[in-house]
Amino acid sequence: MTAIQVENLVKIYGPLRAVDGISFEVAKGEVFGMLGPNGAGKSTTTEMIEGLRKPDGGNIHVLGHDVLKNVEPIKQRIGIQLQTTSLFQKLTTRELVKLFASFYKNTLPVDEVIGLVNLEEKVNTASKDLSGGQRQRLAVAIALINDPDIIFLDEPTTGLDPQARRSMWDVVSNLQKRGKTVFLTTHYMEEAERLCDRVAVVDHGKIIALGKPQALIHDNFDETALEFSNDEQLPENLLASLPGVERVQNENGITTIYSKSVARTTNALMALVEQQQTELRGFTIRAATLEDVFLKLTGRRIRD
Amino acid sequence: MFVQLYLSQWREFARDRMALFFTILFPLIFISIFGLLYGGGSKFDEKVGIVLEDQGPIGPQLASAIEGLTQTPAGQDADKNVFSDMKFSRGNASDLESQLQKGDLQALVIIPAGLSDSIISGKPMSVTVKVDQSSQVFAPFFQGVVGNIVQSVDQGITQSKPMLTMQVQSVLSSQIRGIDLLIPGILAMSIMQLGLFATAQPMIAMRTQGVLKRFNATPLPRWMLLVSYVAMRLTIGLLQTIIIIAVGKLMFDVAILGSIVALLGWLLLSILMFIAIGFFVAAIAKTEESGNAITQLINFPMLFLSGVFFPVTGLPDWLQVVVKAFPLTYTVDSLKQVMINAPPINTPLVNLVVQLGWLVVMTVLSIRFFKWEAR
């Protein structure tokens, strides 16, 4: 079953094609991510799917309803966390969740929703007194109050410290376990790799890669990185001539060998180490990441 | 849905100490200060000069009618005639005018030579009233009362009935003090500021901070949000005005001469009008800063020129034209009329039509220009 279906979506702001012909589908129960730098068109796309912004071209279907023609039945069945949500400052967590509960036909119990985002201890705290991470989780709680089929999370962890980020990841994982469809945007590749079943990598309003995170990495990268500390016993030209090696990079005493054949390169490297009568310190074999994919496809890093 | 929205806004308001201070406490502090300043004197004891140059029948009639203000009509309590302690003196124009300049007189009525002849031969002629504007409380009253006398004399002439049918209006039936005059002004001020500060500002903030956008993402109908927003402001407005009137009544025994129902009606109309004006400001202001600037631009001129603190009649002619354009002028006028029978600037019908007009026009323009999202 398809939860979200987007065809050839376009949004133009003056001379800028903010969203430039985006198409994808999200299956029910899937955690789908849009990954890209700021200004890539992630939020604009999200808000068009949510019915908050009118597209300049294309079609959107959510849960079988045409968003452009009939958004009201969709509103009852989706939950939205906007990129920045500020609500009544002096209302408490419980009061705010209760307020939003009153807008929907079917709702979960207020305390259950607060429990889902682990805000039990802050039920009576005014929203202005919550930390950034707690406020984001409150926004998610509000997005969950109508027990939605699809939850939209727009940059849910931007600006959060690592602990608050991990706490938000737990919330998303729990949603997935409950069989919810989650649509999220992020510019943290680690977040996308960790949370998403599938990722659309976007840049300048276009999808430049779409698929499972690991598949995306494998499709674009057949090299693996071998990394170790090197205090000059192993000269670069020797390393470069090892079998399978594509590229060698030295940075701050760390040598990275990009290899197309991990086994052959590793064996040859070990032999070389023994022959030179030296020792490998901090040796790791690491896979390429989505960051590497983005770098390869655009020539830029996501957080430039 | 409505109840929750209404309650939420109420909580947000009630937990905001600044808002509470400005809507409830501030007007009360105002009343208390002015009450202590103006509350003492109970009657007018001003001195008025009359220059009678007219030799015909109308001039003396007019002069004695004005002097008759000190006499209480039979059947009424003399203590309640605010003009009973006034002193009148007659004399020639130059003497009395210099006394007025020096402050020995507070007002001067000049009935010019040839007035009767002129009117009998069909040419209009006017009586000049000079009032010392520094006596803020007395001046507009005296002007209004003399105006009434002149009007009734004039009607007597055109209807060719005996001159003695002239009447003085019931303005005299109660004691009007400074505080009584001030309360309608304070009410009008609070209502205007409710519209500007408590309606426009939070609405702009809700838009720029994305609260409106978040509500739009829910099934909540927009009209429901607006209705609850207006209902909440209406409640604050009525509460605020009732508190002001109650405190004025209890602390200073202020006058409410007209009917309470009529008073509530006028209050309701002006509250709705200023809420509509507030919405219009929210519709045209893009940022909180520009909203602030527009608000102050509206607030200050109206606050000082529309008759809240001193009467409109004291302003130079060109400024009076400007003041006629201010909605607050009509609010102050209608409240003063209904509360203390003040001499009218406009008829109640004009006050009603103008305020309704502002309400309708502002509502239509707000709907036309209102934006739900920043940018």
Side-chain angles (χ1 to χ4, degrees):
Chain A
M1 259 305 273
T2 313
I4 303 171
Q5 190 180 15
V6 173
E7 285 166 354
N8 210 14
L9 200 58
V10 174
K11 182 74 188 180
I12 298 165
Y13 292 122
L16 176 73
R17 293 178 79 86
V19 175
D20 193 3
I22 279 182
S23 304
F24 60 83
E25 283 186 10
V26 179
K28 272 195 181 156
E30 190 175 24
V31 177
F32 185 89
M34 284 189 101
L35 172 70
N38 289 329
K42 304 187 298 289
S43 285
T44 309
T45 304
T46 311
E47 288 179 6
M48 285 191 287
I49 300 171
E50 293 162 346
L52 291 175
R53 232 173 256 286
K54 287 257 170 294
D56 293 314
N59 285 308
I60 310 163
H61 285 84
V62 174
L63 298 166
H65 296 276
D66 188 335
V67 174
L68 303 180
K69 290 202 181 98
N70 197 3
V71 75
E72 290 309 317
I74 300 171
K75 281 182 175 177
Q76 289 283 355
R77 293 176 61 194
I78 61 175
I80 292 175
Q81 179 244 34
L82 297 170
Q83 197 166 1
T84 50
T85 313
S86 73
L87 297 156
F88 294 120
Q89 298 287 306
K90 293 177 186 67
L91 262 60
T92 65
T93 300
R94 180 182 275 126
E95 285 166 345
L96 280 167
V97 176
K98 219 169 145 188
L99 169 65
F100 278 82
S102 75
F103 302 158
Y104 294 94
K105 284 190 202 122
N106 304 311
T107 54
L108 294 174
V110 168
D111 289 315
E112 183 184 332
V113 164
I114 291 170
L116 281 175
V117 298
N118 307 315
L119 275 179
E120 294 96 332
E121 284 167 20
K122 299 288 175 185
V123 281
N124 292 320
T125 306
S127 74
K128 68 173 165 53
D129 297 326
L130 295 175
S131 73
Q134 290 163 346
R135 213 170 297 157
Q136 284 290 52
R137 277 186 279 148
L138 170 58
V140 174
I142 289 171
L144 296 176
I145 187 64
N146 56 331
D147 196 14
D149 296 321
I150 309 176
I151 297 128
F152 291 88
L153 306 173
D154 197 356
E155 307 236 346
T157 64
T158 296
L160 301 189
D161 60 61
Q163 199 188 337
R165 180 168 302 153
R166 223 149 284 140
S167 171
M168 183 64 87
W169 288 352
D170 289 343
V171 170
V172 176
S173 300
N174 284 333
L175 291 178
Q176 189 176 25
K177 279 181 203 137
R178 289 167 67 103
K180 301 292 180 191
T181 308
V182 179
F183 182 99
L184 66 88
T185 71
T186 181
H187 58 257
Y188 299 111
M189 53 93 194
E190 190 193 352
E191 185 165 291
E193 276 181 44
R194 179 145 175 180
L195 293 178
C196 298
D197 297 319
R198 282 193 308 138
V199 175
V201 183
V202 289
D203 191 37
H204 296 308
K206 289 192 163 109
I207 293 181
I208 55 175
L210 178 66
K212 292 185 161 55
Q214 288 311 313
L216 280 182
I217 295 164
H218 287 304
D219 290 353
N220 287 288
F221 263 91
D222 37 14
E223 299 106 330
T224 303
L226 309 174
E227 270 178 357
F228 51 89
S229 302
N230 187 1
D231 25 21
E232 307 270 322
Q233 281 100 333
L234 299 170
E236 203 174 318
N237 57 344
L238 267 181
L239 293 172
S241 65
L242 294 175
V245 172
E246 291 280 302
R247 208 162 74 246
V248 178
Q249 214 177 321
N250 268 309
E251 232 171 351
N252 302 329
I254 304 279
T255 298
T256 310
I257 302 172
Y258 289 96
S259 162
K260 274 196 169 172
S261 171
V262 185
R264 286 202 295 142
T265 307
T266 312
N267 281 336
L269 177 63
M270 295 309 156
L272 180 68
V273 169
E274 224 164 87
Q275 182 201 325
Q276 298 283 319
Q277 292 189 324
T278 175
E279 202 54 56
L280 273 188
R281 278 181 295 125
F283 180 66
T284 50
I285 302 175
R286 119 180 131 69
T289 64
L290 284 175
E291 181 85 55
D292 297 311
V293 173
F294 191 82
L295 184 66
K296 185 181 170 188
L297 293 175
T298 67
R300 290 175 291 119
R301 292 190 170 271
I302 287 181
R303 270 169 290 169
D304 269 354
Chain B
M1 203 185 287
F2 177 82
V3 174
Q4 277 296 328
L5 261 179
Y6 183 85
L7 279 179
S8 298
Q9 295 182 63
W10 188 245
R11 289 181 183 126
E12 183 79 356
F13 171 75
R15 289 172 195 169
D16 185 347
R17 289 198 194 92
M18 280 288 279
L20 272 184
F21 175 79
F22 275 105
T23 45
I24 308 290
L25 224 54
F26 187 64
L28 292 184
I29 292 172
F30 236 92
I31 300 173
S32 308
I33 292 170
F34 278 89
L36 295 173
L37 286 178
Y38 284 147
S42 62
K43 285 191 173 193
F44 293 127
D45 54 1
E46 273 78 1
K47 296 185 186 70
V48 175
I50 296 177
V51 180
L52 178 60
E53 293 168 343
D54 183 29
Q55 304 295 317
I58 298 174
Q61 279 291 342
L62 213 50
S64 57
I66 293 168
E67 283 164 352
L69 284 172
T70 52
Q71 274 141 40
T72 311
Q76 285 190 23
D77 187 351
D79 282 347
K80 288 199 169 176
N81 182 352
V82 270
F83 293 120
S84 63
D85 289 347
M86 277 171 53
K87 305 277 183 297
F88 289 98
S89 56
R90 294 201 187 185
N92 68 51
S94 58
D95 279 358
L96 293 183
E97 212 147 339
S98 69
Q99 283 186 39
L100 181 67
Q101 293 291 334
K102 278 186 278 178
D104 294 341
L105 291 178
Q106 280 74 49
L108 183 59
V109 182
I110 301 168
I111 303 164
L115 180 86
S116 300
D117 293 345
S118 172
I119 287 174
I120 289 162
S121 68
K123 276 191 227 143
M125 192 98 177
S126 60
V127 174
T128 307
V129 179
K130 296 191 175 181
V131 197
D132 179 3
Q133 289 297 348
S134 64
S135 52
Q136 289 180 13
V137 181
F138 172 71
F141 261 86
F142 186 68
Q143 272 180 351
V145 166
V146 172
N148 284 333
I149 293 172
V150 169
Q151 202 181 349
S152 61
V153 170
D154 182 50
Q155 276 168 9
I157 295 163
T158 52
Q159 291 166 14
S160 61
K161 283 179 184 168
M163 300 299 179
L164 288 169
T165 56
M166 71 181 74
Q167 278 185 341
V168 178
Q169 280 191 350
S170 59
V171 177
L172 313 175
S173 66
S174 178
Q175 302 182 351
I176 301 299
R177 299 158 299 162
I179 183 73
D180 298 319
L181 265 179
L182 194 78
I183 291 278
I186 296 286
L187 284 174
M189 176 188 81
S190 320
I191 293 170
M192 172 179 73
Q193 296 187 338
L194 170 80
L196 294 175
F197 297 107
T199 307
Q201 305 278 36
M203 187 47 94
I204 299 169
M206 272 168 67
R207 180 174 54 215
T208 51
Q209 292 165 9
V211 180
L212 288 183
K213 186 175 169 185
R214 185 63 189 84
F215 282 138
N216 273 341
T218 73
L220 172 71
R222 288 178 170 183
W223 62 263
M224 177 80 86
L225 178 63
L226 293 183
V227 166
S228 73
Y229 195 82
V230 171
M232 156 74 188
R233 268 72 201 170
L234 197 60
T235 316
I236 302 177
L238 287 175
L239 201 71
Q240 191 183 8
T241 48
I242 288 168
I243 290 176
I244 292 171
I245 293 170
V247 169
K249 193 86 195 155
L250 291 175
M251 279 176 68
F252 301 106
D253 192 29
V254 296
I256 305 171
L257 302 179
S259 87
I260 295 286
V261 177
L263 175 60
L264 279 176
W266 286 111
L267 288 173
L268 202 66
L269 173 64
S270 49
I271 291 171
L272 286 173
M273 175 182 75
F274 276 108
I275 290 175
I277 293 174
F279 261 103
F280 177 69
V281 173
I284 56 171
K286 286 203 173 67
T287 62
E288 289 182 64
E289 289 74 27
S290 68
N292 230 323
I294 296 170
T295 304
Q296 295 298 356
L297 214 65
I298 298 172
N299 182 35
F300 273 111
M302 290 224 281
L303 190 58
F304 290 111
L305 297 177
S306 293
V308 170
F309 297 115
F310 45 85
V312 174
T313 42
L315 298 170
D317 288 347
W318 64 270
L319 209 51
Q320 293 214 21
V321 176
V322 178
V323 164
K324 283 255 180 221
F326 292 164
L328 188 65
T329 312
Y330 302 87
T331 306
V332 175
D333 186 37
S334 59
L335 292 179
K336 279 189 176 171
Q337 282 184 41
V338 71
M339 287 185 75
I340 54 174
N341 284 352
I345 300 169
N346 307 293
T347 64
L349 184 67
V350 170
N351 283 330
L352 179 70
V353 169
V354 171
Q355 293 191 82
L356 267 180
W358 273 98
L359 170 59
V360 171
V361 170
M362 286 291 114
T363 306
V364 169
L365 289 179
S366 302
I367 292 170
R368 169 72 186 76
F369 291 109
F370 195 80
K371 299 265 188 303
W372 288 86
E373 255 188 71
R375 94 161 79 176

